[in-house]
């Protein structure tokens, strides 16, 4: 900013114009909020029982060990009072400077003003002292069961993050500075962004993370060449065009999760796993699941197995003339692939030559971070919701996953958009993240009750398709890729599930990063490495301690594993055949319907 710009007088006419815009936008805001859905209290937060347990444990501790509580309080009071006195002394000496700040780095407080300006630094440090005191009080609270304590820690952290001074205009120096620099234009733009988001989501508070007009599925993302060669009520089957003159005989089918859409594996050519696989010489098929509505209320896990997995394998065998296929399951699709493989074993069906699992949970004994939402208070609320509507609206799953990373996916984007007045970025991954899907009512309840809560697959007790299914039935060669910082499918749980599979041929790869970035990790980026260790007889910690770290993507290592199980090379196959004519160009119609 130049000196002339800094000294430029405020333009009254511009301020008046912005005030008029704010009045119009305020009317639109009220209209948008009038359409907001009524969310049941059971889906808004944990039940009062959790808070009652916490209060009871706190009072019991205060009565039995008052010195512990007193020590916590004195520590907090001492820090806040000392900081207050230090700040007053600075002012008394005529120094408009902040006292010493030992709070350490925090991406929320990246502006230099948080450290140098006495007012903003005071607010920041007092917030940090309070956050630390609350966190310590919860962490050191005895008398709670481990699951209750973990939930209390999580929801306490949510409240702490919500109350950060960065989230409020009056205590955010960057937003205030921006408002002054733009004569209030940033606030007008921010209000316009807020109103637009509310209108886009029918009154629900959902921050648009990416510029929705910057991308078009099939236009500039999801563009790998292919054809839809089969369609039923559950999915479209896409066969991708060959990228080599020769292809391996055994076809490969990818089953992506139906919580989001498959094009996460085909965002753009540079990071498309789908494109990369075709370039390695594989005949690739990908399932694109339907986005269900109330008409799918009675569709359960058995339907996904019979009308999804088994139907797709049947069609791929018919198209290619091969008796066996290799398969990949990602996240919930990997969990269901495990169920399918158990069923196929019991039926004597040897169609699958090998199976790969991306970030897949089959052992739910430790649910990881997402477990805070898998207790009866939330699941009962979801069951009531889907019973009434016939499906679980994408709003709920999207919101749940966002709150697992609230600072990254809610607060920071809201600050940039609503306080700073910035337009959402043109970021393909964030665009995909906002393009979520609904879940059928029956399937939602079965998955949450049978798998997540009761862990019936790992126990060998789950009954689907008129059979009792178990991990021990899975005897095909298995390769599993888990991600080190995955907040949805904890890697140690994924590892334990693979341990229980009956296969004698198991490979486990641990990628750096999380649920998405750890999988969408092309070799060209040379970004995240991975760990390998052939000994799967030990527990997860011992496995990692003895594992070898490998630089770069796991993709080539997996491809080398897959190549050995894909047969000889044949002339490349074009999509479809006489009985499977092209129904649509990739990425198909299901991926863009039901938005």
């Amino acid at each position: 900013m130049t000196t002339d710009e800094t000294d430029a007088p405020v333009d009254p006419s511009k301020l008046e114009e912005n005030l008029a815009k704010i009045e119009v936008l305020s009317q639109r805001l009220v209209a948008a909020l009038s359409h907001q859905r009524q969310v049941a209290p059971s889906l808004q937060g944990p039940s009062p029982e959790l808070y009652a347990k916490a209060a009871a444990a706190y009072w019991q501790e205060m009565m039995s060990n008052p010195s512990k509580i007193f020590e916590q309080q004195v520590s907090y009071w001492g820090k806040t009072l000392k900081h207050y006195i230090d700040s007053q002394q600075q002012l008394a000496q005529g120094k408009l400077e902040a006292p010493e700040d030992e709070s350490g780095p925090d991406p929320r407080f990246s502006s230099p003003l948080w450290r140098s300006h006495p007012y903003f630094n005071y607010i920041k440090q007092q917030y940090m002292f309070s956050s630390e005191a609350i966190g310590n009080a919860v962490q050191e609270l005895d008398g709670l069961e481990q699951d209750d304590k973990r939930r209390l820690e999580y929801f306490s952290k949510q409240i702490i993050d919500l109350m950060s001074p960065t989230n409020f205009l009056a205590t955010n120096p960057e937003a205030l500075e921006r408002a002054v620099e733009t004569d209030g234009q940033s606030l007008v733009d921010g209000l316009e962004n807020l109103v637009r988001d509310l209108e886009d989501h029918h009154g629900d508070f959902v921050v648009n993370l990416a510029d929705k007009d910057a991308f078009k599925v099939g236009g500039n993302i999801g563009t790998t060449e292919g054809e839809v060669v089969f369609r039923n009520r559950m999915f479209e089957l896409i066969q991708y065009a060959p990228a080599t003159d020769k292809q391996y005989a055994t076809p490969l089918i990818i089953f992506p999760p139906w919580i989001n859409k498959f094009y996460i594996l085909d965002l753009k050519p540079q990071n498309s796993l789908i494109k990369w696989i075709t370039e390695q010489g594989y005949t690739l098929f990908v399932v694109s699941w339907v986005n269900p509505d109330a008409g799918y209320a009675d569709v359960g896990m058995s339907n996904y197995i019979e009308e999804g997995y088994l139907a797709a394998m049947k069609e791929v065998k018919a198209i290619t003339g091969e008796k066996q296929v290799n398969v990949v399951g990602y996240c919930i699709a990997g969990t269901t692939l495990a169920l399918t493989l158990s069923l196929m074993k019991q039926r004597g069906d040897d169609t699958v030559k090998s199976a790969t699992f991306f970030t897949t949970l089959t052992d739910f004994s430790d649910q990881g971070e997402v477990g805070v939402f898998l207790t009866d208070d939330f699941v009962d609320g979801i069951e009531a919701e889907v019973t009434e509507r016939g499906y679980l609206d994408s709003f709920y799953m999207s919101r749940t996953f966002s709150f697992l990373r609230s600072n990254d996916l809610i607060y920071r984007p809201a600050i940039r958009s609503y306080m700073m007045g910035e337009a959402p970025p043109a970021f393909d991954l964030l665009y995909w993240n906002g393009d979520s899907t609904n879940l059928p009512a029956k399937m939602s309840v079965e998955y949450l009750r049978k798998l997540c809560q009761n862990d019936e697959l790992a126990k060998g007790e789950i009954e689907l398709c008129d059979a009792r299914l178990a991990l021990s039935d899975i005897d095909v060669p298995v390769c599993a890729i888990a991600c080190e910082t995955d907040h949805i499918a904890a890697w140690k749980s994924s590892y334990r599930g693979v341990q229980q599979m009956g296969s004698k041929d198991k490979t486990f790869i641990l990628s750096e990063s999380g649920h998405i970035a750890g999988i969408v990790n092309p070799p060209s980026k040379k970004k995240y490495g991975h760990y390998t260790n052939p000994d799967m007889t030990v527990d997860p910690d011992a496995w990692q301690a003895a594992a070898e770290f490998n630089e770069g993507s796991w993709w080539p290592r997996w491809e080398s594993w897959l190549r050995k199980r894909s047969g000889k090379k044949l002339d490349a196959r074009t999509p479809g055949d006489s009985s499977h004519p092209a129904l649509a160009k990739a990425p198909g119609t299901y991926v863009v319907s039901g938005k």
Side-chain angles (χ1 to χ4, degrees):
M1 183 182 291
T2 65
T3 303
D4 290 342
E5 289 173 326
T6 304
D7 297 337
V10 174
D11 184 351
S13 62
K14 189 172 184 179
L15 280 173
E16 188 175 334
E17 180 183 343
N18 281 336
L19 288 172
K21 289 181 180 178
I22 288 175
E23 185 177 351
V24 174
L25 287 168
S26 297
Q27 293 173 356
R28 286 175 55 193
L29 175 66
V30 172
L33 288 173
S34 68
H35 299 292
Q36 190 174 40
R37 79 181 72 206
Q38 296 299 312
V39 179
S42 57
L43 296 175
Q44 294 280 37
S47 69
E49 183 183 3
L50 178 64
Y51 301 113
K53 287 180 179 179
Y58 186 84
W59 281 107
Q60 182 181 357
E61 193 165 272
M62 190 166 65
M63 297 298 292
S64 62
N65 191 6
S67 61
K68 179 180 176 181
I69 305 297
F70 187 68
E71 184 180 347
Q72 290 174 343
Q73 293 296 320
V74 168
S75 174
Y76 171 62
W77 293 336
K79 289 178 181 179
T80 56
L81 185 59
K82 181 181 182 300
H83 181 237
Y84 173 78
I85 292 172
D86 289 345
S87 301
Q88 290 297 316
Q89 285 180 338
Q90 292 284 78
L91 290 175
Q93 294 171 11
K95 298 179 181 178
L96 288 175
E97 299 175 3
E100 187 176 355
D101 185 349
E102 299 179 353
S103 57
D106 188 317
R108 294 175 297 177
F109 303 103
S110 58
S111 169
L113 287 171
W114 286 113
R115 185 169 291 273
S116 62
H117 193 285
Y119 169 71
F120 293 113
N121 182 262
Y122 180 80
I123 291 172
K124 170 202 168 184
Q125 290 208 56
Q126 291 290 326
Y127 167 75
M128 298 299 279
F129 293 144
S130 299
S131 300
E132 181 185 38
I134 295 170
N136 289 342
V138 172
Q139 191 173 29
E140 296 173 14
L141 185 62
D142 297 323
L144 280 176
E145 293 184 6
Q146 190 58 39
D147 288 345
D148 288 331
K149 187 171 182 179
R150 183 171 61 173
R151 297 188 80 215
L152 187 64
E153 289 174 347
Y154 172 81
F155 289 110
S156 297
K157 180 68 163 53
Q158 288 295 318
I159 295 171
I160 290 169
D161 290 343
L162 172 64
M163 298 309 294
S164 169
T166 55
N167 296 338
F168 302 91
L169 178 62
T171 52
N172 187 315
E174 291 178 280
L176 292 171
E177 196 173 38
R178 181 67 177 157
V180 172
E181 289 173 354
T182 61
D183 292 327
Q185 185 62 48
S186 61
L187 299 181
V188 176
D189 293 342
L191 181 57
E192 190 160 6
N193 290 342
L194 172 61
V195 171
R196 180 206 59 224
D197 288 355
L198 288 169
E199 290 174 340
D200 284 350
H201 298 97
H202 309 292
D204 293 324
F205 179 73
V206 179
V207 186
N208 280 328
L209 300 178
D211 181 357
K212 64 176 185 176
D213 298 321
F215 300 101
K216 182 179 180 182
V217 181
N220 55 359
I221 51 176
T223 59
T224 301
E225 184 182 352
E227 305 282 350
V228 174
V229 293
F230 176 79
R231 178 188 295 130
N232 66 14
R233 70 167 184 154
M234 298 297 294
F235 69 93
E236 288 184 327
L237 182 66
I238 301 170
Q239 182 178 359
Y240 284 90
T244 55
D245 293 333
K246 298 285 186 177
Q247 290 181 323
Y248 293 103
T250 306
L252 177 65
I253 311 173
I254 295 179
F255 294 95
W258 50 88
I259 291 175
N260 281 93
K261 297 181 179 179
F262 83 89
Y263 66 88
I264 184 59
L265 301 175
D266 190 32
L267 288 174
K268 52 190 176 185
Q270 301 94 306
N271 62 1
S272 171
L273 178 59
I274 286 174
K275 183 174 186 293
W276 186 84
I277 288 172
T278 64
E279 291 171 345
Q280 310 315 304
Y282 293 89
T283 303
L284 178 62
F285 294 82
V286 174
V287 164
S288 174
W289 300 103
V290 72
N291 190 0
D293 54 23
Y296 286 76
D298 292 330
V299 167
M301 298 295 293
S302 294
N303 298 99
Y304 276 89
I305 293 171
E306 297 277 13
E307 299 178 56
Y309 289 74
L310 296 180
M313 293 179 201
K314 176 183 176 183
E315 299 305 324
V316 169
K317 289 195 296 182
I319 292 170
T320 62
E322 297 293 326
K323 294 182 179 180
Q324 287 190 300
V325 300
N326 291 317
V327 292
V328 176
Y330 190 171
C331 190
I332 188 177
T335 307
T336 312
L337 174 60
L339 295 166
T340 304
L341 291 173
S342 173
L343 180 67
M344 295 174 77
K345 172 66 176 178
Q346 295 186 36
R347 291 180 176 179
D349 186 341
D350 65 351
T351 293
V352 173
K353 183 184 284 189
S354 76
T356 299
F357 297 91
F358 292 168
T359 63
T360 294
L361 288 181
T362 51
D363 182 331
F364 289 82
S365 56
D366 180 1
Q367 300 159 342
E369 292 180 56
V370 76
V372 298
F373 296 105
L374 295 176
T375 48
D376 276 339
D377 49 1
F378 280 109
V379 176
D380 289 348
I382 289 173
E383 186 166 8
E385 172 74 14
V386 300
T387 299
E388 179 180 347
R389 294 177 65 99
Y391 64 96
L392 182 63
D393 193 286
S394 61
F395 166 79
Y396 295 104
M397 292 299 295
S398 178
R399 186 174 67 166
T400 298
F401 290 139
S402 292
F403 271 110
L404 291 175
R405 295 173 53 202
S406 55
N407 282 323
D408 294 330
L409 297 178
I410 299 177
Y411 302 129
R412 261 192 286 257
I415 290 167
R416 287 196 301 267
S417 185
Y418 306 151
M419 292 189 196
M420 306 295 288
E422 298 176 7
F427 189 5
D428 55 357
L429 179 59
L430 292 179
Y431 176 87
W432 167 86
N433 188 75
D435 190 13
S436 50
T437 56
N438 305 323
L439 300 176
K442 183 178 179 180
M443 172 263 140
S444 301
V445 175
E446 284 182 333
Y447 180 75
L448 292 172
R449 297 291 192 198
K450 292 176 178 287
L451 290 160
C452 297
Q453 287 193 316
N454 298 334
D455 198 20
E456 291 182 13
L457 175 55
K459 294 175 181 177
E461 298 174 353
I462 191 166
E463 295 186 0
L464 295 168
C465 304
D466 299 320
R468 175 168 285 198
L469 310 177
L471 291 174
S472 57
D473 290 331
I474 301 172
D475 60 359
V476 300
V478 166
C479 181
I481 296 90
C483 297
E484 191 173 19
T485 59
D486 196 329
H487 59 287
I488 296 173
W491 81 264
K492 293 180 183 180
S493 295
S494 177
Y495 175 88
R496 282 189 287 266
V498 177
Q499 277 187 312
Q500 296 173 61
M501 294 179 183
S503 174
K504 296 179 181 179
D505 180 356
K506 299 177 187 176
T507 298
F508 190 83
I509 300 171
L510 179 61
S511 174
E512 290 186 306
S513 195
H515 194 71
I516 301 300
I519 297 298
V520 184
N521 181 28
S524 60
K525 284 192 174 183
K526 299 179 180 179
K527 195 169 184 180
Y528 301 118
H530 58 281
Y531 299 87
T532 54
N533 180 353
D535 183 8
M536 290 195 67
T537 63
V538 297
D539 65 43
D541 291 321
W543 182 93
Q544 187 177 30
E548 177 185 357
F549 178 73
N550 306 273
E551 297 285 348
S553 173
W554 55 268
W555 290 11
R557 183 177 300 277
W558 170 64
E559 190 278 324
S560 177
W561 179 90
L562 183 65
R563 187 190 319 146
K564 298 171 185 176
R565 296 157 179 83
S566 297
K568 62 183 181 180
K569 282 196 170 182
L570 310 170
D571 289 337
R573 302 175 172 113
T574 56
D577 62 12
S578 58
S579 59
H580 294 82
L583 304 177
K585 294 284 186 184
T589 61
Y590 280 4
V591 75
V592 295
S593 63
K595 286 193 175 186

